[in-house]
Amino acid sequence: TTTNGNLTLEAALSASAASSTAILLKAGAGTAAGTTTGGDFINNAGASALSTPSGNWRVFSGSTSGTTEGGLTYSKRYNTADSYAPGSAGNYIFYREAPTLTLTANSATRSYGAANPSFSGSATGFIDGDNATAVGGVTFGSTATATTGVGTVAITGAAGDNSLNYTIAQADGNARALTVDPATLTYVAN
């Protein structure tokens, strides 16, 4: 554990404990989640650097760009303090870095009284090779109903499960991405 500065692993570590934290490494221990400062994990020992035949290992680090995983196989999570305990077993690298995923809805139009069209959009801000699949997919929807008044209405995006713990932000334009036009009235004279 380091309280400030990098934690560099030059040789392999092995632990036989049957524990979820058979090996627990903390670079920048006590540094708050949401920041990349405090230190990073540097693995110079390679893909077999952490061995826990009967348990699991956990590494806490600052940023994805400052961390050297060295070929380790692991699950990850962002914006995570060093006191976090995952709900499932496995080998993990937890990053204090708090990336923001911005969801931007494509504009859509419909007439008053009509059903909403299918909504779509995009997500930007992925880091470390992640994509929409890594957050359980990205979807877009609206609370507008057929009787929502004429004007603009929000279309909001959502990440499927966000187990990676991205900060989710809506693009400014999402608040008015759906335009509800007046319905066309047809007058039939007698």
Side-chain angles (χ1 to χ4, degrees):
T1 298
T2 66
T3 55
N4 191 15
N6 292 340
L7 176 62
T8 303
L9 187 62
E10 295 292 349
L13 294 176
S14 181
S16 59
S19 166
S20 62
T21 56
I23 295 177
L24 179 62
L25 302 174
K26 297 180 180 182
T31 305
T35 180
T36 58
T37 62
D40 293 307
F41 171 66
I42 310 296
N43 174 14
N44 291 332
S48 58
L50 302 175
S51 175
T52 54
S54 301
N56 300 114
W57 54 261
R58 294 183 188 156
V59 172
F60 291 86
S61 192
S63 70
T64 58
S65 62
T67 298
T68 302
E69 295 90 356
L72 292 170
T73 301
Y74 60 94
S75 297
K76 62 184 172 185
R77 187 174 193 268
Y78 307 116
N79 197 17
T80 303
D82 64 15
S83 59
Y84 177 77
S88 60
N91 298 321
Y92 288 91
I93 295 182
F94 299 107
Y95 300 97
R96 290 183 303 276
E97 179 175 12
T100 298
L101 191 60
T102 302
L103 306 180
T104 304
N106 293 329
S107 297
T109 303
R110 70 162 173 85
S111 296
Y112 175 83
N116 286 332
S118 294
F119 299 120
S120 62
S122 61
T124 56
F126 289 109
I127 64 170
D128 202 35
D130 297 337
N131 58 34
T133 303
V135 294
V138 175
T139 58
F140 292 86
S142 178
T143 59
T145 65
T147 59
T148 297
V150 171
T152 57
V153 184
I155 299 174
T156 55
D161 68 15
N162 196 21
S163 61
L164 295 181
N165 206 28
Y166 274 91
T167 299
I168 303 295
Q170 302 294 323
D172 292 339
N174 288 8
R176 56 195 173 283
L178 174 61
T179 301
V180 179
D181 289 335
T184 302
L185 298 177
T186 304
Y187 176 74
V188 178
N190 290 346

